[in-house]
Amino acid sequence: MDIMNKLRLGLPKGSLQDSTFKIFAKAGFHINVSSRSYHPNIDDPEIEPVLLRAQEIPRYVESGILDAGLTGFDWVVENGVESKIVEVAELLYAKQGLGKVRWVLAVPEESSIKNAKDLEGKSIATEVMNITKKYLKKHNVKADVEFSWGATEVKAGELVDAIVEITETGSSLKANKLRIVDTILESTTRLIANKKSLQNPWKKRKLEEISMLLKGALAAEEKVGLKMNVRCADLDRIMKMLPSLKSPTISYLNNKEWVALEIVIDEKTVRGLIPKLKKAGAQGIIEYPLNKIIV
Amino acid sequence: MDIMNKLRLGLPKGSLQDSTFKIFAKAGFHINVSSRSYHPNIDDPEIEPVLLRAQEIPRYVESGILDAGLTGFDWVVENGVESKIVEVAELLYAKQGLGKVRWVLAVPEESSIKNAKDLEGKSIATEVMNITKKYLKKHNVKADVEFSWGATEVKAGELVDAIVEITETGSSLKANKLRIVDTILESTTRLIANKKSLQNPWKKRKLEEISMLLKGALAAEEKVGLKMNVRCADLDRIMKMLPSLKSPTISYLNNKEWVALEIVIDEKTVRGLIPKLKKAGAQGIIEYPLNKIIV
Amino acid sequence: MDIMNKLRLGLPKGSLQDSTFKIFAKAGFHINVSSRSYHPNIDDPEIEPVLLRAQEIPRYVESGILDAGLTGFDWVVENGVESKIVEVAELLYAKQGLGKVRWVLAVPEESSIKNAKDLEGKSIATEVMNITKKYLKKHNVKADVEFSWGATEVKAGELVDAIVEITETGSSLKANKLRIVDTILESTTRLIANKKSLQNPWKKRKLEEISMLLKGALAAEEKVGLKMNVRCADLDRIMKMLPSLKSPTISYLNNKEWVALEIVIDEKTVRGLIPKLKKAGAQGIIEYPLNKIIV
Amino acid sequence: MDIMNKLRLGLPKGSLQDSTFKIFAKAGFHINVSSRSYHPNIDDPEIEPVLLRAQEIPRYVESGILDAGLTGFDWVVENGVESKIVEVAELLYAKQGLGKVRWVLAVPEESSIKNAKDLEGKSIATEVMNITKKYLKKHNVKADVEFSWGATEVKAGELVDAIVEITETGSSLKANKLRIVDTILESTTRLIANKKSLQNPWKKRKLEEISMLLKGALAAEEKVGLKMNVRCADLDRIMKMLPSLKSPTISYLNNKEWVALEIVIDEKTVRGLIPKLKKAGAQGIIEYPLNKIIV
Amino acid sequence: MDIMNKLRLGLPKGSLQDSTFKIFAKAGFHINVSSRSYHPNIDDPEIEPVLLRAQEIPRYVESGILDAGLTGFDWVVENGVESKIVEVAELLYAKQGLGKVRWVLAVPEESSIKNAKDLEGKSIATEVMNITKKYLKKHNVKADVEFSWGATEVKAGELVDAIVEITETGSSLKANKLRIVDTILESTTRLIANKKSLQNPWKKRKLEEISMLLKGALAAEEKVGLKMNVRCADLDRIMKMLPSLKSPTISYLNNKEWVALEIVIDEKTVRGLIPKLKKAGAQGIIEYPLNKIIV
Amino acid sequence: MDIMNKLRLGLPKGSLQDSTFKIFAKAGFHINVSSRSYHPNIDDPEIEPVLLRAQEIPRYVESGILDAGLTGFDWVVENGVESKIVEVAELLYAKQGLGKVRWVLAVPEESSIKNAKDLEGKSIATEVMNITKKYLKKHNVKADVEFSWGATEVKAGELVDAIVEITETGSSLKANKLRIVDTILESTTRLIANKKSLQNPWKKRKLEEISMLLKGALAAEEKVGLKMNVRCADLDRIMKMLPSLKSPTISYLNNKEWVALEIVIDEKTVRGLIPKLKKAGAQGIIEYPLNKIIV
């Protein structure tokens, strides 16, 4: 096999792994991994996937051991390689939920710490040592930052004065009676690439195709197809109800008084739209699932 | 948030919970529940869901603590609130299967009890004390009814003379060598509402929309879309094969001798229909899944 | 119920069971099995399913205890009934993966056995005694064949000289440091029927319908629907990109400059096709899942 | 089998089941239960065990369907049969922990209810309707008591004003931000018997033996054997350190200057005692586990 | 390592594996097995354990590939090697229960087959082809014996006329509505050895030691130690209550009027003995567990 | 509660947690932990346990946030606090096995790295950054050390040149085809204490008692009690067979020709000793388990 036609791609092991494999499958790339291996199989001979902790992917993309990788923006920053790699795409997905996480500075509810300045001389536990130190530097504050091997939330108050911890909804922090003082970094999943790899035209095109297909699969996650039959007389009125940016497909039917109208829209808007469409005379409304959308 | 624009909705905890959440998701409302909590999250700020045992929902809908709720008709009757609440919709779904359950009077196969009259002076174990007592009263029979905390089926014969127990297919009763004497109540899931809440126009409209979307999602569970290409000459013959009530969508194709025919039908009828359609000349028959159907 | 209108059908218990039930469900037949029972329920009163080990199904189809059954070609051969039953259809599915398995002759990597002739006087462990003996006979070799109750792979080298074992990808053999000497038999799932049963016209037609629906469901596993809007001017160019054998459905739109193009294609080809279609001017490309395809 | 020589014994199904079977096993009676059955096997032909919910055992012991049973004192009271059955033994064991539970009246932390009197006109949810009503009557208070089918703790405040709920350590109540207003009933496990059955001398003796062996096994749970070698000169001093009520076994050794001292004591006291014994000159101290103790 | 000082020992994989490892551990040999391996580790360098199906162990002990092995007597017979191997010990243990199993001839309850003679011309499914054929031969009966790959019990009546199946309590046969016609073979676990290996004095002695320790551990499973203090005056009377074959250890105490009595007895007899001992004046009765007993 | 009489004790969360709790229970301290909490309950009001990652315990013992803690010697060194804390006891236990682990420098089997010197300019992945850097410094070698977030073994060769990884038996390294170049650190579990805390006499004594009881419980893990009856004539000969350091307890029996001999010995030596004892005339040999041993 010609090494030039092989893209070495880092995939995140652990909590993001299942959702990553699922979105690749919807994009048309089927990956499966035998237990304990870090070289999964993929049904595209042009890709060589490597399963690694999200924390370590930026490091190996930067050094060129990997051509590209999927990881969180947070770990790109923690590794200090923002300007040393290229971000090919932002991909909004996550283990569950919205796909957006925040690293926040949190303290016990009753703590006297109200802002960054109050951290002077305090101790902070975190998994992201560099992000935290950068934040302190920006605020010109000196504090003791220590690496936390886990269960960071329970340390605040008793073992350290503050923590810098990841959160999606804030509910776990609340359950531990912690108060968020500041958001230090917002992060989403990114497809990043090594700079040199991108100078190779084959690798560049391959990455763009992967990126297009992943985005198409992600878009389909949140959208559905909607079909309905509409009397020609009602068409204009109904067209106005539809999200303005989308151009529906209208096709002729046997019965000349009716047309079939088909549109792809956000699944979230359907539940509000259907009662209105029905009132406006639409008939035989059906909603169906999608695999991919390339606009 | 304006309290007037909030619908307090009881959802059944336990065996019906998963299927309820799934049907709501298909209807466009995504619910998730953290463990042990009875206040799930829903992505509609106008709904405040409360997770409760199906047995208790009728009581709280009747008293107005809830505006509406999903529960079984059996628990509406057991709570004695049939005439004190309003039934908004009957929803045919269940943990699995058809969605219809029966409460039956059952006795050991070899018991001498053949009908309600034979219960005179006997003991009956059941989870539905009131339904059972009402049944006895209707038949003008006196018997000892005792509350069963579970495993009711194994009690018949040894601990009590008869039981009143829920069954879907009767197979569990048969496995316990019990004979059904009578069906006391048939029950399906219902969307019920508090009378006063329905006098509020906003709540009334909101409930009707939820009802329409749930029904649309349930309808889609049992139906599929079917598409095929049909020669114009065969169209009439093929049209007659299709379930008469449905009006298929017929659209023109590039090749003027053919039309594309699309129809939504019961998934159950497809396996019988396809061999006939193919024989009649239909080509490129494809079946695809649906999310929602609003007729 | 009229016994003439009942088809007794053997279904494989164990590793193939889940995938068999899933493909039947997609074909429109819903089977469920209570634990430990070998008489599952099916929602077609004309079929009487019997759950049996794949190894035993050929034997009972041959003897007429079953009218038909699903099993592997390997077990048809092992039971020696190839010419005594009728193969109605080959069905490419499996627990996972491609649906094709091989029985191979394997030896320790360092073994001196290089071909069938080298087996003379050696010992061989296998689950397929008859297939192995037939192979030895064909090569005119005498060797000691012993039945292996499981874990055959670990025996090679220490307990026996060679094994005949099933493999899909060969990875398990490699992990046990075994070398494949020869492929003895390739096998896929088959729908087989008793010869006498096929002389009954009703049973013959029923089996053909089941076969058609199963194939339709299997075809849908690997295909997807693709829709897109295409400018009339681009139509020819885009048509040429599509797999030549398929005839896409083209329908007219409100906007006369565009047509809607719809096609069913291999899911595997989509990821390569989409970037090209987009470059060629296709818009609003969506991919959707299918349940069944009857060409 | 002679029915006179058979003791029908109710055993609690569910949360107490495992610990009950374990303590019976230590007492010398080995029970095993096939799934879903309520007639477990026991290796004593004179006992016929019946597996029932603890809530229902008092009812069937009172009516004579069972000769005896293990249940909680709470369910004896809830069934209103305290004076209609005989308590043979109190057995201090539980799913885990001390074996003592309390039913408490609890309200939301911020509730204005401070004592029983404040319940006037309020609503109370509970699994123990009769215990609660009796408590209200005793305090001459009128309140609305409703049966709770589960998850009682989350109801307080929002659905009802107060609850009567079981607790061992109070931690679950605290987690739900509830305040205990009063303890309504303390309960432990009891071996209870039907009055008439106790008039049968064989059944009476059988029950006494079971009771003695269960108590012996329970005693052994909390005790250990302790052996040590002690110089005769130190004997008196060491004897004084030991719990005064126990008489240790002292036996002569080959070496006349030493004796072997053996004692059965509370496991809990060992960790405090050992450092002192060692200081006082005891040697070769060993602690060993016990199965049964009959003092 | 000197190959002469190494005993190659087959251990049964699968259902007997856990109980085998446990009894070896009590005997003082600690085995652990990494998943999928058939060469477990043991903390005795003189033993080389090999994990194999019980069915295959007799074959490899007979051929000398193994020096010895643990397997069921049934598989010794099925392999036809009773006279070609040496039985070193019978070991009464099993997955659970008594350790004794039976292979029985069973038919549907309503079958007309009442004894071996009635099998003439019938079909029989079984996992033990040779044992079954030998039985038929003994009774001079001709029948069709077919190998059953599992779930043999459900086949009787519908697929075959009779089965030969393993049973411990008969409860599974009863659940399948089968009637036992005859017991064909009783079987227990055996330690068997290759004849040639036993001519090696070192291997012979090693096997005898393993046998002694396994038996010691098995004996301890069913026995307990019992200690009590007895007044010298009561000693004779109490001695007579004890199982006659055992000689208790009686030792002197400080208090000359009492002796300490210690005895090892069947755990099963304790629950009957304790009430009598107590009545007879024994005090401070304690029961303690044992690891090994070598009488 | 008086803060002076409270010992704040760090316990290792995670892989060592279960075995730690078990050994504390045998020592007489019963700990239980509600999920996600890091403040377990203990039945000694003088101890306040804190559940923390073993990696972090040395840091907090050194700073005085904890009085003492259980952790590995490796993490004491990694935190660089060897001389800043006091080691109270070495405790030989582990998740499983011997309780001794090694951090080793490992490379792919085919690597050219043969010793520390060969690491010059290479990359090393490890969880113990400081231990590794110290090792490099000692050998006066410069290499690139990077923190590994897990799955370190699979990185060697492809992502880095060498790893420093923990191993107990080396089997996982072998499975990954790695070669051990050097052992960098051997580690066992330690009870460590803060220097200032030890100046408090109450805390010092408390720690010594905990230490004595833990050691007593650990000793009992590997030892058993052995009793036997020995003819006076055989006593000397049998005494000589016993491990010389132990002094057995010999007590007189009723039968003057025999004595009872009791000894505590290593469980490992029993299986070799018993055949010899029996040959030498010992009778009624029984082995029993122990909870604690304080020599």
Side-chain angles (χ1 to χ4, degrees), chain A residues 118-157:
Chain A
D118 296 339
L119 291 172
E120 188 70 38
K122 305 293 187 188
S123 59
I124 307 171
T126 186
E127 270 186 274
V128 287
M129 301 284 282
N130 295 328
I131 291 173
T132 303
K133 285 175 181 168
K134 206 179 289 181
Y135 174 81
L136 291 174
K137 203 172 173 189
K138 198 181 74 182
H139 286 86
N140 208 21
V141 169
K142 282 213 173 68
D144 185 30
V145 184
E146 60 185 43
F147 183 68
S148 172
W149 293 80
T152 312
E153 283 162 349
V154 296
K155 289 174 185 159

Side-chain angles (χ1 to χ4, degrees), chain A residues 87-104:
Chain A
E87 185 183 310
V88 179
E90 179 176 13
L91 300 168
L92 270 176
Y93 78 99
K95 246 186 311 170
Q96 47 175 15
L98 293 173
K100 194 170 280 186
V101 296
R102 290 184 298 152
W103 287 91
V104 297

